[in-house]
Amino acid sequence: MICINAAGVRIVDTFAMLSCIDTFDKFALRVLPASLPEDMRCAVRALSRKTVLAAGKQLECGQKNATLVYVCGGATKLVAHASEHREQVVAFHFAGDLLTLPACGPHSYSLEALVESELLTLEYEPFLEITGERADILGQLLERTTISLQRSREKTLALGRKSAIERVCSFLLMMAERIGKPGCGGVELDLPMSRRDIADSLGLTIETISRQFTHLREQGLITTRGRSAVLLLRMDELEKRSGHLSAAA
Amino acid sequence: MICINAAGVRIVDTFAMLSCIDTFDKFALRVLPASLPEDMRCAVRALSRKTVLAAGKQLECGQKNATLVYVCGGATKLVAHASEHREQVVAFHFAGDLLTLPACGPHSYSLEALVESELLTLEYEPFLEITGERADILGQLLERTTISLQRSREKTLALGRKSAIERVCSFLLMMAERIGKPGCGGVELDLPMSRRDIADSLGLTIETISRQFTHLREQGLITTRGRSAVLLLRMDELEKRSGHLSAAA
DNA sequence: CGACCAATTGAGATGGATCAAGAGCAGTGG
DNA sequence: CCACTGCTCTTGATCCATCTCAATTGGTCG
């Protein structure tokens, strides 16, 4: 934060400083209770590390311990590695999400940025050391972990028992819910992930994803613009094709 | 607990009574801290309901709210229903496991007993009302939820990117870890679930499961006796075929 | 022993993968 | 502004792992 400019004058990079404080505060605002004593807050702050990841870069972290990651901004994918050229996107995480990056078990995991992303990382164990007595914080973690578990269960169902078209429709509806904006004549999506990421998330190939998008386009359920913009025109029809129960009724 | 016998004499069914107390105590011993104040323990006890499910029966519960289930004994499967004849086993849970049976979202869920099982159920929300201030209890829930999430992520990888043989080997290794016993010349498994359950868990069909078992038998990696007994003879070879990273190294 | 359901085995069908072009989009540099 | 480059995405043709359907065998329990 302190550096020497061309003229040899020591300057304080207030922008970097502010941005660092900013990152922690975003996290604190969302995850830490207002009533947290100042010393505990400081301890957590000391433990936390800000990382800005360029698109395509992955979080460096010792795979011996689990890491808590708060996504301050951007979009990320949590990837499980089966082998060299087989990857499974376990979950997408967007601004405001808190996730646990697991230690290396039978497979290794990594968190990769889809677009430039601002992350706050904390080692899981030491964090719990500090905050393990605070029911409000544990409640917060529990709630977010339960949501992740629920999403993971839904994904399990999709990968285990759904056809390609059902997976794609479920995916679009889920994304609409999480990062969609009401647009002209439907829900507008700006997908931060590539076709490959979608394929790796749904257990399919890029070619299949592309073909299913084409089908949906031909049937007038969606339109696409460029690589990332998707407009969902007929949510009801997408719902029907997603294999959700509501649609069967 | 009080009933009339053949002779018309009123008797107290002390066995049922004891067994009921027993069920709660098993749960309390594992999940509730010893230091929990007596009034809180009583409130939790009042909220808890014991259920004994015969094999094949499923837990009845209002699908409007999430339910916390502690498996005191037996073996169960958590099933997500895609449609009438498409089911996905999201997880198996054995004695000592604590799980959250989710409220009905895009798909409905149910917990079904594989063998006669003894369960303790608690409505999730009221339970948190009572114990939400107790960091030790929340920590316990968080830890168990995190384990479930991690298992679910591993399953996601298996369903998304692994072949039939890899899924079956991973499954056998996971079961060995959870309910295996050291036996003559290998790890002995007494699988409480049918081939159909395994198929529904791995996103395959019974026929495929059967064929993979046959291959493993032919290659001398396992032997089977009857419908449920499996003896894992070559853990190293199973590991190799499971697509785990350790095996690649 | 016999009935019934679970598991196995075989033969054929198929959804999605794989392989192979081609088209569309950014970024770069003239 | 346009050509060039290296992508990602799309589309088509073929292949294959797994599903489906069907018949048989085997385990379990009355």
Side-chain angles (χ1 to χ4, degrees):
Chain A
M1 285 176 226
I2 295 175
C3 49
I4 312 295
N5 72 1
V9 179
R10 204 181 69 158
I11 56 165
V12 176
D13 184 348
T14 50
F15 178 75
M17 211 165 159
L18 272 173
S19 118
C20 183
I21 291 171
D22 218 30
T23 303
F24 181 79
D25 283 350
K26 278 183 207 161
F27 163 73
L29 195 65
R30 291 290 179 180
V31 181
L32 302 180
S35 64
L36 197 71
E38 198 49 36
D39 60 333
M40 216 181 261
R41 181 176 299 259
C42 281
V44 173
R45 183 191 290 259
L47 195 64
S48 69
R49 286 180 46 120
K50 178 191 171 180
T51 313
V52 175
L53 285 184
K57 297 293 174 192
Q58 69 186 51
L59 194 60
E60 298 293 337
C61 59
Q63 284 287 304
K64 294 228 174 146
N65 299 304
T67 311
L68 204 61
V69 183
Y70 180 73
V71 184
C72 295
T76 62
K77 58 175 176 179
L78 176 60
V79 183
H81 304 268
S83 62
E84 198 57 33
H85 287 290
R86 278 197 305 179
E87 302 197 332
Q88 174 65 38
V89 172
V90 162
F92 292 111
H93 285 286
F94 305 113
D97 286 358
L98 186 71
L99 67 128
T100 316
L101 182 57
C104 191
H107 304 96
S108 81
Y109 290 80
S110 67
L111 190 73
E112 193 171 308
L114 299 170
V115 297
E116 180 167 292
S117 301
E118 186 186 343
L119 309 175
L120 194 87
T121 61
L122 298 137
E123 282 182 71
Y124 194 79
E125 294 295 336
F127 178 72
L128 277 196
E129 281 293 312
I130 297 170
T131 61
E133 302 295 317
R134 296 282 308 199
D136 42 13
I137 294 181
L138 291 180
Q140 181 74 225
L141 286 186
L142 176 60
E143 193 183 321
R144 287 164 175 273
T145 306
T146 303
I147 291 173
S148 290
L149 174 58
Q150 196 42 37
R151 288 212 188 105
S152 183
R153 284 171 172 171
E154 291 284 324
K155 188 185 263 295
T156 298
L157 173 56
L159 299 191
R161 286 285 176 250
K162 287 191 181 181
S163 67
I165 187 66
E166 288 174 320
R167 295 184 204 188
V168 170
C169 290
S170 297
F171 168 79
L172 288 174
L173 290 172
M174 172 60 91
M175 284 303 126
E177 204 174 286
R178 291 178 74 184
I179 56 169
K181 296 183 203 77
C184 48
V187 177
E188 221 170 285
L189 270 182
D190 191 60
L191 295 178
M193 68 289 282
S194 68
R195 298 286 185 269
R196 163 153 303 283
D197 294 327
I198 301 175
D200 285 344
S201 165
L202 301 182
L204 300 166
T205 57
I206 26 177
E207 292 93 331
T208 300
I209 301 296
S210 184
R211 276 186 255 269
Q212 299 306 334
F213 270 61
T214 304
H215 290 162
L216 292 175
R217 225 182 286 118
E218 285 170 352
Q219 292 171 52
L221 306 193
I222 65 170
T223 59
T224 57
R225 232 187 43 249
R227 276 171 187 166
S228 62
V230 182
L231 182 62
L232 311 186
L233 298 167
R234 302 282 308 272
M235 299 296 275
D236 53 338
E237 286 293 321
L238 289 172
E239 195 78 39
K240 269 189 199 161
R241 276 152 234 252
S242 70
H244 290 179
L245 282 188
S246 53
Chain B
M1 283 174 228
I2 297 175
C3 48
I4 313 294
N5 73 0
V9 180
R10 206 181 69 161
I11 55 165
V12 176
D13 184 349
T14 49
F15 178 76
M17 213 164 157
L18 272 173
S19 118
C20 182
I21 291 171
D22 218 30
T23 302
F24 181 80
D25 283 350
K26 278 183 207 161
F27 163 74
L29 195 66
R30 291 291 179 179
V31 181
L32 302 180
S35 66
L36 197 70
E38 198 49 37
D39 60 332
M40 217 180 259
R41 182 175 297 258
C42 281
V44 173
R45 183 192 287 259
L47 195 64
S48 69
R49 285 180 47 119
K50 177 192 171 181
T51 312
V52 174
L53 284 183
K57 297 294 174 191
Q58 69 185 51
L59 194 61
E60 297 293 336
C61 60
Q63 283 290 303
K64 296 229 173 142
N65 300 303
T67 310
L68 205 61
V69 183
Y70 179 74
V71 184
C72 295
T76 62
K77 58 177 177 178
L78 177 59
V79 182
H81 304 269
S83 61
E84 199 56 33
H85 288 288
R86 277 198 307 179
E87 301 197 332
Q88 174 65 38
V89 172
V90 161
F92 292 111
H93 285 287
F94 305 113
D97 286 358
L98 187 70
L99 67 126
T100 315
L101 181 58
C104 189
H107 304 95
S108 81
Y109 290 80
S110 66
L111 190 73
E112 193 172 308
L114 299 169
V115 297
E116 179 166 292
S117 301
E118 185 185 343
L119 309 175
L120 194 86
T121 61
L122 297 137
E123 282 182 69
Y124 194 78
E125 294 296 337
F127 177 73
L128 277 195
E129 280 294 312
I130 297 170
T131 62
E133 302 297 316
R134 297 283 308 201
D136 42 14
I137 294 182
L138 291 180
Q140 181 74 224
L141 286 186
L142 176 61
E143 193 183 320
R144 287 163 175 273
T145 305
T146 303
I147 292 173
S148 290
L149 174 58
Q150 197 41 37
R151 288 214 188 105
S152 184
R153 283 171 172 169
E154 290 286 325
K155 187 186 264 293
T156 298
L157 172 56
L159 298 192
R161 286 283 174 254
K162 287 192 180 178
S163 67
I165 188 67
E166 288 174 320
R167 295 184 204 187
V168 170
C169 290
S170 297
F171 168 79
L172 288 175
L173 290 172
M174 172 59 90
M175 284 303 126
E177 206 174 286
R178 292 178 74 185
I179 55 169
K181 297 182 202 75
C184 49
V187 177
E188 219 170 286
L189 270 183
D190 190 60
L191 295 178
M193 68 289 282
S194 68
R195 298 285 185 271
R196 164 154 302 284
D197 294 327
I198 300 174
D200 285 344
S201 165
L202 301 182
L204 300 166
T205 57
I206 26 179
E207 292 93 333
T208 300
I209 301 296
S210 184
R211 276 185 255 267
Q212 300 305 334
F213 270 61
T214 303
H215 289 161
L216 292 176
R217 226 181 286 120
E218 286 170 353
Q219 292 171 53
L221 306 193
I222 64 170
T223 58
T224 56
R225 232 189 42 250
R227 277 170 187 165
S228 61
V230 182
L231 182 63
L232 310 186
L233 298 168
R234 301 283 308 273
M235 298 297 276
D236 54 337
E237 286 294 320
L238 288 172
E239 195 78 39
K240 267 189 200 161
R241 278 152 233 251
S242 70
H244 289 178
L245 281 187
S246 51

